[in-house]
């Protein structure tokens, strides 16, 4: 039983990872349709997928005949339609804080290390693989530097990014830490980020959403 939810997913995609976390936190079952971003130039560019998501990015969620793109829009859609295990706090200030944390990662840090950005650096500027890795690592580190400052010594930070319930910001933090590991970015300077990451990873929902737990991983 999948509740009519279908996720176009790639196991290594951190944006899709956010959605998997939200689905598992809410206890929602779903069907996975893998979109291999590397196979033969990337299945995200195939006509059938472009017809669903003209941005040619994963994730994309189908809810029956509704198509929802953009991971944060998907998370907010799930929160509004499936209110169990809320991803956002009840108060406006809290929601603004959580969205600011999430956007700092999802809007300002993550996109600069995206596959198509790195591919463009290679084709337009002949950047080497090492230069691309250094580029991605730079933006990951800058993002975490800001995130650490936003989290540490803030009374609203709890066991997780906001209080003692995992939510939208945590669903962005954990995949970005995964990206940091992929790019060998040291996390020593971000102890609060690391602590929250480990708190999240102790939860079954996060474990089930992890890249290595997905079909086709590896
Ligand atoms: N802002 C989008 C970003 C989606 C995104 O960047 N997805 C990446 C994987 S993490 C992708 O599909 N990349 C394919 C490519 O760069 O060609 C979201 O949050 O959903």
């Amino acid at each position: 039983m999948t509740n009519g939810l279908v996720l176009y997913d790639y196991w290594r995609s951190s944006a899709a990872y956010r959605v998997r976390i939200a689905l598992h936190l809410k206890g929602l079952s779903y069907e996975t349709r893998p979109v291999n971003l590397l196979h033969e130039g990337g299945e995200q560019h195939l006509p059938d997928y472009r017809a669903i998501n003209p941005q040619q990015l994963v994730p994309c969620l189908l809810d029956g005949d509704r198509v929802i793109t953009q991971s944060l829009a998907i998370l907010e859609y799930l929160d509004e339609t499936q209110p169990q295990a809320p991803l956002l706090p009840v108060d406006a200030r809290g929601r603004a804080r959580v969205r600011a944390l999430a956007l700092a990662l999802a809007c300002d840090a993550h996109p600069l290390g995206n596959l198509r950005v790195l591919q463009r650096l290679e084709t337009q500027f002949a950047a080497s693989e090492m230069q691309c890795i250094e580029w991605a690592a730079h933006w990951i580190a800058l993002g975490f530097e800001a995130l650490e400052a936003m989290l540490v010594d803030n009374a609203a930070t709890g066991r997780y990014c906001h209080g003692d319930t995992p939510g939208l910001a945590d669903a962005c933090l954990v995949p970005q830490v995964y990206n940091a590991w992929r790019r060998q970015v040291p996390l020593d300077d971000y102890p609060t980020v690391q602590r929250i990451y480990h708190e999240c990873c102790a939860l079954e929902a996060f474990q089930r959403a992890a890249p290595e737990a997905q079909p086709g991983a590896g």
Side-chain angles (χ1 to χ4, degrees):
M1 184 60 199
T2 62
N3 303 302
L5 295 175
V6 174
L7 179 65
Y8 288 86
D9 192 4
Y10 180 57
W11 66 279
R12 240 179 177 173
S13 157
S14 44
Y17 190 178
R18 295 173 200 144
V19 176
R20 296 195 301 262
I21 290 168
L23 288 164
H24 288 296
L25 280 172
K26 287 181 173 292
L28 297 168
S29 50
Y30 61 97
E31 177 193 330
T32 297
R33 295 206 185 137
V35 180
N36 190 319
L37 301 184
L38 300 178
H39 184 245
E40 292 185 355
E43 293 173 356
Q44 69 275 32
H45 305 303
L46 292 176
D48 282 359
Y49 188 68
R50 288 171 78 149
I52 297 166
N53 184 358
Q55 279 199 288
Q56 302 169 57
L57 298 168
V58 295
C60 174
L61 186 80
L62 302 188
D63 182 4
D65 57 6
R66 267 164 295 184
V67 178
I68 306 135
T69 61
Q70 286 289 343
S71 61
L72 292 186
I74 296 170
L75 263 60
E76 295 233 15
Y77 172 82
L78 289 173
D79 222 25
E80 288 169 25
T81 55
Q82 304 281 346
Q84 72 278 14
L87 301 172
L88 285 165
V90 288
D91 60 304
R93 269 191 201 183
R95 285 196 296 277
R97 177 173 184 264
V98 168
R99 287 182 178 122
L101 293 167
L103 290 168
L105 293 176
C107 256
D108 296 332
H110 163 263
L112 289 156
N114 204 358
L115 177 64
R116 63 183 180 173
V117 171
L118 302 183
Q119 285 173 338
R120 191 72 189 176
L121 289 174
E122 280 172 15
T123 55
Q124 189 171 352
F125 302 110
S128 66
E129 194 183 338
M130 186 48 69
Q131 286 172 320
C132 287
I133 290 171
E134 283 170 9
W135 163 276
H138 169 79
W139 296 113
I140 291 170
L142 206 71
F144 277 140
E145 197 181 309
L147 199 78
E148 179 68 26
M150 292 161 87
L151 290 168
V152 74
D153 297 333
N154 187 312
T157 303
R159 174 176 288 206
Y160 305 102
C161 285
H162 192 81
D164 294 331
T165 309
L168 190 93
D170 305 288
C172 294
L173 181 149
V174 167
Q176 190 66 356
V177 170
Y178 171 75
N179 281 337
W181 280 352
R182 279 185 71 192
R183 308 291 182 205
Q184 295 173 355
V185 178
L187 296 176
D188 306 339
D189 290 342
Y190 323 119
T192 317
V193 168
Q194 280 199 71
R195 177 185 64 71
I196 293 171
Y197 172 80
H198 290 296
E199 290 283 4
C200 290
C201 289
L203 301 176
E204 190 189 346
F206 283 81
Q207 291 161 9
R208 293 183 68 190
E212 57 277 8
Q214 307 315 303

